[in-house]
Structures are given as structure tokens and as C-alpha cells.
Amino acid sequence: MSAQQTLQDLGAGLLNGSVKVVDLAAPLGPDTPLLKLPPEIGVNTPEIEIHNISNYDDNGPFWSWNWLKLGEHSGTHFDAPRHWASGKDYKDGTTDTIPVQNLVGPLCVIDCSKEVAEDPDFLLTEAGVKAWEAEHGEIKEGSWVVMRSDWYKRNNDKDAFLNVDENGPHSPGPDADCIRYLLSKGIMGWGNEGIGTDAGSAGGMEPPFPAHYLLHEANRYGLASLCNLDQVPATGAIIVVPPLKIVNGTGSPTRVMALVPA
Ligand code: 23J
Ligand code: MN
């Protein structure tokens, strides 16, 4: 089938409802959960603020608009290679230099929701990915791979979402060998439903924060705080990942979407 025909069919499918667009982003505002690093680890991203400029009033009679105070790594967001020391030197590794061709692609959804319901510290492993491949087929080069945990259902409760106790944060994610294996398959990016691309326990792993360290070392991308992966099939969807084109940006909030068969 020609590319022209493929796009014509996609256009028709979007119009007739046989292709659905699933919203993979969480609401972005003052109630959005944000990463809380312990002070000995580093400085935190600021609370999100939305300030009104005018609202059809004396400050602008016919228009309403706002300005934002917003960290790059807030809410549902994209991690660029430049975010991590291991990926800092890539010329095409910031939000304004990443080729947009890399930001739309086939999506693999690895469902870990049952395991995570039993264990909030659940880690996806290389063996877990291989078991998924045995069922759904080999992960193809250039694919985006995301971990479904249904963690997003905690999104309206900051404490439950961050899930911190005296031993630190407890939330699911990948272990280091999982990310190494996915990189060996040539993935374009990795996504997680938690506050970051890594598990809550990732600070104690080797290397620390392996999803960040290894993905960005390989000039690959991350997605955090994804939602609604329970509405996306294991294979067959297309993910659309549009970070803002922030100059020298290390990441960006993004309205991630998936195109799925209805
Ligand atoms: C900075 C330091 C540690 C982490 C993070 C940021 C993120 O998760 C992020 O949003 O990229 S773990
Ligand atoms: Mn981030």
C-alpha cells in the first residue's frame, strides 16, 4: 500500500471513528503531583502556578490569557537526552533539536497492572519483556515501549501517587537490565506511569536512575506520568509525543496521545 493510501485511510478512520485518539496526558495545574527529591539529593522543580493576565476585563476587554510558572519536568512530560549527564553532549539531544520524525511511532504496551496491584515496588525485568514478546511479537527497532501499571489512577491524590514512606518512594518501573535489553532492540523511547521514567526505588540501583542514565546515554527519550494506557492495546497503536520546542530544553510537559483501533 502506498504511503498516500495509508494516510488517506488514516484520515478516513479518524473521521469515521474506527481510529480513536486516546489522551495519555494528565491535567496540568497546581494540583499536579511533582517529584520531591530529598534535599541532600538536589533542588526540586517549583510548584506549578497559573496566573491570569486578563479575563475580558480592564486588563484586556475582549480576551483571556494566562502565564505559567512551570518546570520542564512537570506532570505528563518528555525527558530529552540532555536531561541526564550521560546524554549531555548530543547535538540533537534537546527539545529544540530532536528530529520530529522520532516523536511519532509504533507503541508497545507492557501490562504490569496485576503485578503492581500486588506490589507497588514491582520492577519490569528483561525476562518480563521477553515474556511479553513471546505473546505479542518481537519489539521492532524504533518502537516506543511503555509500562502499563494503572498507577495513573492515583493521579488525583499526590500522596498516593508519590507513595513515600520512611524508606523512600515506592512506585513501579524498570530495572537496569530491562532498559539495556530494550535499548538492544533499538527502541526510540520508554514511558512509565509514575512521577518519572524510573521506579521509586531507582536511586539505589546501579547505575542510579537506570532509565534516565541508560536511555539518555543512548540518545533515547523518556516519558513520565503517562495516563490511560489501559485504553491502548499491547500492539497496533501509534504514539504521538510532542514536547514544546524549548530552546536548549531538557524536557517538556506534553499532550501525549495514542492512535488506536476502535
Ligand atoms: C531529576 C532527578 C531525578 C529524577 C528526575 C529528575 C525525574 O524523574 C524527571 O522528571 O526526569 S528521577
Ligand atoms: Mn523528567
Side-chain angles (χ1 to χ4, degrees), residues 28-44:
L28 188 64
D31 296 329
T32 300
L34 298 174
L35 183 68
K36 295 272 179 299
L37 294 167
E40 64 273 19
I41 302 287
V43 173
N44 279 300

Side-chain angles (χ1 to χ4, degrees), residues 5 45 62 94 106 142 154-155 161 164 166 195 200 216 235 260:
Q5 186 65 51
T45 195
F62 300 142
T94 54
R154 300 174 178 233
N155 227 315
F161 191 77
V164 180
E166 64 279 7
I195 195 77
H216 303 326
T235 64
V260 307

Side-chain angles (χ1 to χ4, degrees), residues 115-203:
E115 294 87 339
V116 171
E118 302 285 311
D119 176 12
D121 288 307
F122 176 78
L123 300 178
L124 181 61
T125 61
E126 176 176 349
V129 176
K130 286 178 171 168
W132 182 93
E133 287 184 301
E135 190 175 345
H136 299 286
E138 190 179 353
I139 293 169
K140 292 194 192 70
E141 187 176 349
S143 301
W144 286 76
V145 178
V146 296
M147 178 175 176
R148 172 184 163 198
S149 58
D150 291 350
W151 200 257
Y152 85 94
K153 294 178 180 174
R154 300 174 178 233
N155 227 315
N156 48 16
D157 179 342
K158 280 183 196 184
D159 289 340
F161 191 77
L162 296 172
N163 203 33
V164 180
D165 69 13
E166 64 279 7
N167 299 315
H170 301 274
S171 59
D175 72 9
D177 281 339
C178 173
I179 296 293
R180 286 191 188 96
Y181 178 68
L182 291 170
L183 289 169
S184 80
K185 306 302 289 188
I187 65 159
M188 187 65 76
W190 157 263
N192 192 19
E193 292 184 32
I195 195 77
T197 57
D198 268 297
S201 60

Side-chain angles (χ1 to χ4, degrees), residues 55-257:
N55 196 32
Y56 329 110
D57 55 19
D58 287 348
N59 294 326
F62 300 142
W63 52 89
S64 181
W65 51 353
N66 304 315
W67 66 271
L68 309 180
K69 182 169 175 180
L70 179 65
E72 292 174 326
H73 299 260
S74 299
T76 303
H77 75 274
F78 175 88
D79 284 0
R82 178 60 191 273
H83 180 40
W84 220 253
S86 55
K88 68 182 172 53
D89 293 324
Y90 287 110
K91 295 289 172 270
D92 56 354
T94 54
T95 46
D96 54 335
T97 59
I98 290 167
V100 288
Q101 191 80 31
N102 291 355
L103 301 178
V104 181
L107 179 61
C108 303
V109 180
I110 303 183
D111 182 6
C112 303
S113 57
K114 287 197 185 66
E115 294 87 339
V116 171
E118 302 285 311
D119 176 12
D121 288 307
F122 176 78
L123 300 178
L124 181 61
T125 61
E126 176 176 349
V129 176
K130 286 178 171 168
W132 182 93
E133 287 184 301
E135 190 175 345
H136 299 286
E138 190 179 353
I139 293 169
K140 292 194 192 70
E141 187 176 349
S143 301
W144 286 76
V145 178
V146 296
M147 178 175 176
R148 172 184 163 198
S149 58
D150 291 350
W151 200 257
Y152 85 94
K153 294 178 180 174
R154 300 174 178 233
N155 227 315
N156 48 16
D157 179 342
K158 280 183 196 184
D159 289 340
F161 191 77
L162 296 172
N163 203 33
V164 180
D165 69 13
E166 64 279 7
N167 299 315
H170 301 274
S171 59
D175 72 9
D177 281 339
C178 173
I179 296 293
R180 286 191 188 96
Y181 178 68
L182 291 170
L183 289 169
S184 80
K185 306 302 289 188
I187 65 159
M188 187 65 76
W190 157 263
N192 192 19
E193 292 184 32
I195 195 77
T197 57
D198 268 297
S201 60
M205 295 181 187
E206 189 46 50
F209 307 107
H212 286 83
Y213 189 96
L214 299 167
L215 286 166
H216 303 326
E217 179 183 50
N219 204 14
R220 298 304 192 214
Y221 317 120
L223 289 171
S225 298
L226 291 172
C227 297
N228 297 327
L229 294 175
D230 51 343
Q231 295 172 38
V232 183
T235 64
I238 299 291
I239 193 169
V240 182
V241 180
L244 298 179
K245 202 168 178 177
I246 299 168
V247 175
N248 289 323
T250 72
S252 167
T254 168
R255 188 72 177 264
V256 187
M257 297 170 230

